[in-house]
Amino acid sequence: MSTPNLYLPLIDLSSTDRASVAQSIRQACMDHGFFYVINHGIDDFVVNSLFRESKKFFDLPLSEKMKLERSKDHRGYTAPYSETLDTSSKFKGDLKESFYVGPINDSLNQWPSKESLPAWRVTMESYYEKILNVGFRLISLIAIALNLDENFFTKIGALDSPMGFLRLLHYPGEIPESDKGKYGASAHSDYGMITLLVTDGMPGLQICREKDRSPQLWEDVDHVERALIINIGDIMERWTNCTFRSTLHRVVAVGQERYSLIDR
């Protein structure tokens, strides 16, 4: 079951009133587990370059992409149908294809060749640096939202040797009749502290705020221009003794190509 679009809180990172921003984040994490962030400092040029390079990679022939097939260290390319995020689903194989990039200075990363995609690596490195900075700022505000010192997570080592991964995602446009009913990404919650998502504006993302509700109620998430979409992961839900929620979400097929990128 799905409903019309819902309203998610809008968090302005440019505000100087950190206490007020933290309180808004607290309410968002308790009520939805999802919220938007605006004025985050990542400009349009960086985001547009990101999607342009992402599209260039996913437009390559499958044989070329498979040369960078995902390793056991979770770096590289995963083809359509190779993952099923909802293990209880009757459909095997989500429609998306993806590419994993680990910490930028990690020698385990795989990169497309400079001959085929000369600007690809530098574009990903630039975005990684900027989105990691946004993540650190949010974690500091989340600490305040939990009535902790703003540097709490840093002091306990939760941000040591950050293992933030970028994951580029491509969802198909028109799909064959045999794939009807399958999801771009089936229902799941994320495993980490927080996830930071940027999309190309195409619809498809839905959330289910009540995990145990039957039947599940799915709500569409609108695109907000120049906003990041943030959601809480399973670790944060556990650390807060379920005060903050890790929310089920999925991506439905909408008949149009969709590109997004997550950092978690």
Side-chain angles (χ1 to χ4, degrees), residues 160-195:
D160 290 354
S161 302
M163 288 299 292
F165 271 70
L166 297 182
R167 191 177 182 194
L168 289 77
L169 296 161
H170 171 233
Y171 302 89
E174 292 187 20
I175 58 175
E177 191 64 32
S178 59
D179 282 337
K180 297 295 184 183
K182 289 186 178 182
Y183 293 100
S186 51
H188 64 286
S189 60
D190 295 340
Y191 52 80
M193 295 174 67
I194 60 172
T195 297

Side-chain angles (χ1 to χ4, degrees), residues 139 142 146 148 152-153 156-159 191-194 232-244:
I139 290 297
I142 287 172
L146 292 166
L148 300 169
F152 173 80
F153 290 107
I156 66 171
L159 305 180
Y191 52 80
M193 295 174 67
I194 60 172
I232 294 299
D234 297 336
I235 288 177
M236 187 65 75
E237 179 179 89
R238 177 167 293 189
W239 283 350
T240 62
N241 198 26
C242 299
T243 298
F244 289 178

Side-chain angles (χ1 to χ4, degrees), residues 34-203:
F34 269 75
F35 55 92
Y36 300 108
V37 162
I38 58 172
N39 296 322
H40 40 71
I42 304 177
D43 61 39
D44 290 348
F45 176 80
V46 171
V47 173
N48 292 337
S49 299
L50 180 74
F51 284 119
R52 183 172 60 250
E53 293 301 316
S54 177
K55 186 177 189 307
K56 286 180 182 178
F57 175 79
F58 288 119
D59 280 347
L60 292 173
L62 180 60
S63 59
E64 289 299 308
K65 291 181 285 190
M66 290 302 293
K67 292 178 181 178
L68 297 171
E69 185 176 8
R70 189 178 67 176
S71 67
K72 60 181 176 60
D73 299 299
H74 301 290
R75 274 79 165 177
Y77 174 71
T78 60
Y81 313 110
S82 60
E83 296 179 318
T84 307
L85 295 176
D86 181 1
T87 56
S88 69
S89 173
K90 64 179 180 179
F91 301 109
K92 298 306 176 187
D94 292 343
L95 300 174
K96 68 184 183 312
E97 57 180 337
S98 61
F99 192 96
Y100 291 78
V101 179
I104 291 302
N105 295 324
D106 195 327
S107 61
L108 297 172
N109 279 322
Q110 302 191 67
W111 302 103
S113 69
K114 287 186 177 180
E115 289 73 25
S116 61
L117 296 174
W120 208 87
R121 179 171 179 172
V122 68
T123 300
M124 299 305 148
E125 289 176 336
S126 175
Y127 181 76
Y128 185 94
E129 179 182 351
K130 291 175 172 59
I131 198 68
L132 201 63
N133 177 262
V134 176
F136 287 161
R137 291 163 65 192
L138 282 170
I139 290 297
S140 176
L141 288 163
I142 287 172
I144 298 172
L146 292 166
N147 300 315
L148 300 169
D149 180 85
E150 65 178 351
N151 297 315
F152 173 80
F153 290 107
T154 301
K155 290 177 180 177
I156 66 171
L159 305 180
D160 290 354
S161 302
M163 288 299 292
F165 271 70
L166 297 182
R167 191 177 182 194
L168 289 77
L169 296 161
H170 171 233
Y171 302 89
E174 292 187 20
I175 58 175
E177 191 64 32
S178 59
D179 282 337
K180 297 295 184 183
K182 289 186 178 182
Y183 293 100
S186 51
H188 64 286
S189 60
D190 295 340
Y191 52 80
M193 295 174 67
I194 60 172
T195 297
L196 300 90
L197 167 70
V198 60
T199 80
D200 64 353
M202 287 294 110

Side-chain angles (χ1 to χ4, degrees), residues 192-250:
M193 295 174 67
I194 60 172
T195 297
L196 300 90
L197 167 70
V198 60
T199 80
D200 64 353
M202 287 294 110
L205 177 62
Q206 296 181 332
I207 70 172
C208 175
R209 287 186 278 174
E210 301 297 334
K211 297 178 183 178
D212 300 322
R213 176 173 175 160
S214 183
Q216 291 176 331
L217 180 65
W218 290 92
E219 299 172 282
D220 296 316
V221 176
D222 274 332
H223 173 73
V224 173
E225 197 68 25
R226 296 187 175 86
L228 299 174
I229 300 173
I230 314 298
N231 65 276
I232 294 299
D234 297 336
I235 288 177
M236 187 65 75
E237 179 179 89
R238 177 167 293 189
W239 283 350
T240 62
N241 198 26
C242 299
T243 298
F244 289 178
R245 62 170 63 198
S246 173
T247 305
L248 280 178
H249 51 286
R250 68 187 185 187

Side-chain angles (χ1 to χ4, degrees), residues 19-40:
S20 177
V21 172
Q23 181 57 40
S24 296
I25 289 176
R26 178 182 178 86
Q27 199 64 50
C29 292
M30 292 172 63
D31 292 345
H32 302 90
F34 269 75
F35 55 92
Y36 300 108
V37 162
I38 58 172
N39 296 322
H40 40 71

